[in-house]
Amino acid sequence: NMPVTSINHFLIRAADIERSKNFYVDVLGFEVAPRPDFPFPGYWLGTNGSIQVHIAQDGIDNRSFYYLGTPDDAANGQTGVIDHVAFLCEDPAQFKDRLDGRGVNYRTRFLPENQLFQLFLRDPDGVMIELNFFGVEDVAAFGGENYTQMARVD
């Protein structure tokens, strides 16, 4: 029995690795981490001493050889079959101000029973990012769609 203990990272094939790196650093607050000398351009980005995001240049020759999840018909420009990638975050007011100050579009949602406030936004390549803030009792300053008030699927 070899249980999975946590997610390690995900890789984005970015149309422009500099633009994507700047988004994750400037908007989300990630840091650029040391990266091995892979035979294709990219970045490793992380927080709190861990690496969560790999960015690699899309459109390179033989991309399906380097990126094993990328067949010739692989989608570009959206999250694909994965709906979103979520991060745990702190200080929702500061984060919301940061996004507003940079003109970043987002949607807000709230799950009262978990005291969970969420921000949803897309990265430059269309990947849906979910930012989770636990311990938020009062969302009056943030607004957001309340999951408990949404139409239920039977």
Side-chain angles (χ1 to χ4, degrees), residues 86-90 130-134:
F87 296 102
L88 293 175
C89 301
E90 298 176 347
E130 173 184 312
L131 305 178
N132 286 322
F133 303 86
F134 282 97

Side-chain angles (χ1 to χ4, degrees), residues 79-91:
T79 312
V81 70
I82 295 173
D83 184 80
H84 61 269
V85 178
F87 296 102
L88 293 175
C89 301
E90 298 176 347
D91 200 339

Side-chain angles (χ1 to χ4, degrees), residues 34-52:
R35 178 180 180 262
D37 186 22
F38 288 112
F40 51 87
Y43 289 101
W44 280 9
L45 307 173
T47 61
N48 298 320
S50 297
I51 296 164
Q52 292 89 9

Side-chain angles (χ1 to χ4, degrees), residues 12 16-34 42-47 52-55 87 94-95 98-99 102 104 121 123-124 129 131:
I12 296 167
D16 179 335
I17 60 173
E18 298 302 322
R19 178 183 69 176
S20 291
K21 183 254 305 176
N22 290 340
F23 171 85
Y24 281 89
V25 170
D26 298 338
V27 175
L28 299 183
F30 282 80
E31 297 175 346
V32 176
Y43 289 101
W44 280 9
L45 307 173
T47 61
Q52 292 89 9
V53 181
H54 291 184
I55 296 174
F87 296 102
Q94 180 184 5
F95 232 115
R98 183 180 194 140
L99 298 176
R102 288 166 171 76
V104 176
L121 59 149
D123 84 351
I129 304 293
L131 305 178

Side-chain angles (χ1 to χ4, degrees), residues 91-97 100 106 108-110 117-119 136-145:
D91 200 339
Q94 180 184 5
F95 232 115
K96 190 172 180 303
D97 288 347
D100 289 341
Y106 56 85
T108 56
R109 287 194 167 168
F110 181 54
F117 173 68
Q118 300 173 309
L119 293 168
V136 180
E137 296 180 33
D138 182 8
V139 295
F142 306 131
E145 301 161 319

